[in-house]
Amino acid sequence: MRARSVSLARRLLCGAGRAALVAYDLEPLVEARALCHGMSATGDLVVACLADDAVPTTTWADGALRVRLDIVKEAPESAVRITACAVHLLGTLEWLSEEDVHDYLADADLDPRLTELATMVGGRLGIVRSDRVLLHDSAGVTPLPFGEVAGLHPAGGARWGCRSFPDAEQEWNARDLVGGLSKNQLTGLLTAAAAGWEAGVKLSSRAEVTCSHTEGRVFCVDIDRTGLTLMAVTLGRASVHFLAFEEPADALDELADRLGQLVAVGSVQPTE
């Protein structure tokens, strides 16, 4: 579960989800939402946006600002909207000067979308610094040291650069692998998890107002290098289980292999 939490938080900091930023010392208190975000090769949390006079945070030019950053990620489902997880952090934001941006980008190895936005007319590039990240998901609230999420050595420096798996572009390919499993196979995984299979962990179960197009269905809440998270909706109740892989996956072919192993092992688990 710790590996899952770190993986989730890292993917969000590396660019997944929608980010919103607010500087709570500025008036008016307006969130900056039209942001790109990601991690640099050296473990910096970076945001880019266009300066907007209506959003004071984006036009600030007088040193570090105290900020709150929220990143919310939805499940990779097209039929319904499920909030899969979110990270929240308090820290400081410092916008780079136009002269410093070009020097920084030379070694940052950022997502091209971040670079493009930061170098447009009116574009800004900032670094958010924090000591702790709060992950919110079906398992509850998990506090994590920023250095652990960013993959930093205690002595400094990034261990993995800005890589995470699956990244924002790979997520739907990963979801397609889950789509290749039948409803019976997905239900079988949940049944085995509910019966005590050690690979399965119940994250939550709560009453929900359901409708005809969700009742009796199984949804993919998330899939990453550590495992598969599924939600079953039945009889007005939504239950979320995490199915852990035996070994982590760091490529799509490995992910397909781990899913196959889950289904094969889950199908022979006792159901009572």
Side-chain angles (χ1 to χ4, degrees):
M1 289 298 294
R2 181 73 176 190
R4 173 184 181 271
S5 295
V6 171
S7 177
L8 274 178
R10 181 170 177 77
R11 285 165 56 210
L12 267 66
L13 294 190
C14 283
R18 301 187 311 276
L21 182 73
V22 63
Y24 43 86
D25 292 328
L26 296 183
E27 294 290 345
L29 199 64
V30 180
E31 283 192 336
R33 291 181 175 273
L35 299 172
C36 279
H37 69 283
M39 297 286 293
S40 75
T42 52
D44 289 334
L45 175 55
V46 181
V47 295
C49 70
L50 294 179
D52 182 349
D53 290 336
V55 185
T57 306
T58 67
T59 59
W60 182 259
D62 296 324
L65 274 174
R66 295 194 304 163
V67 297
R68 174 186 171 103
L69 180 69
D70 304 298
I71 306 171
V72 179
K73 182 182 178 301
E74 293 185 354
E77 289 284 356
S78 57
V80 294
R81 295 188 66 175
I82 301 170
T83 299
C85 55
V87 293
H88 310 282
L89 62 85
L90 299 178
T92 59
L93 164 69
E94 188 162 4
W95 295 112
L96 301 181
S97 68
E98 188 174 343
E99 295 77 17
D100 291 338
V101 165
H102 294 282
D103 291 337
Y104 184 85
L105 290 175
D107 300 315
D109 191 25
L110 294 176
D111 185 302
R113 291 170 293 187
L114 264 165
T115 300
E116 181 180 4
L117 184 57
T119 54
M120 291 176 64
V121 175
R124 305 207 73 184
L125 186 72
I127 299 174
V128 178
R129 294 182 173 88
S130 181
D131 295 326
R132 189 176 76 148
V133 172
L134 290 180
L135 172 70
H136 291 241
D137 73 328
S138 299
V141 181
T142 307
L144 298 166
F146 180 87
E148 181 180 3
V149 176
L152 301 179
H153 287 299
R159 185 164 61 231
W160 300 303
C162 59
R163 294 186 296 274
S164 64
F165 179 80
D167 61 25
E169 294 184 356
Q170 296 166 324
E171 181 175 12
W172 284 99
N173 291 328
R175 174 62 181 86
D176 286 343
L177 296 176
V178 181
L181 303 180
S182 69
K183 181 180 178 180
N184 286 341
Q185 288 174 318
L186 294 174
T187 301
L189 291 174
L190 291 170
T191 300
W197 181 24
E198 63 182 8
V201 178
K202 179 186 283 189
L203 302 182
S204 67
S205 180
R206 63 182 186 271
E208 290 283 353
V209 178
T210 59
C211 55
S212 58
H213 80 283
T214 61
E215 184 68 34
R217 293 186 60 180
V218 177
F219 298 102
C220 175
V221 176
D222 190 57
I223 179 169
D224 78 340
R225 66 191 303 270
T226 65
L228 173 65
T229 306
L230 298 175
M231 173 187 285
V233 179
T234 181
L235 301 177
R237 195 161 197 86
S239 300
V240 181
H241 282 80
F242 172 63
L243 292 307
F245 296 144
E246 187 74 23
E247 297 288 341
D250 291 305
L252 288 171
D253 58 343
E254 294 180 5
L255 201 59
D257 179 67
R258 304 298 186 272
L259 280 173
Q261 291 177 9
L262 268 185
V263 171
V265 177
S267 65
V268 297
Q269 297 301 309
T271 57
E272 295 183 359

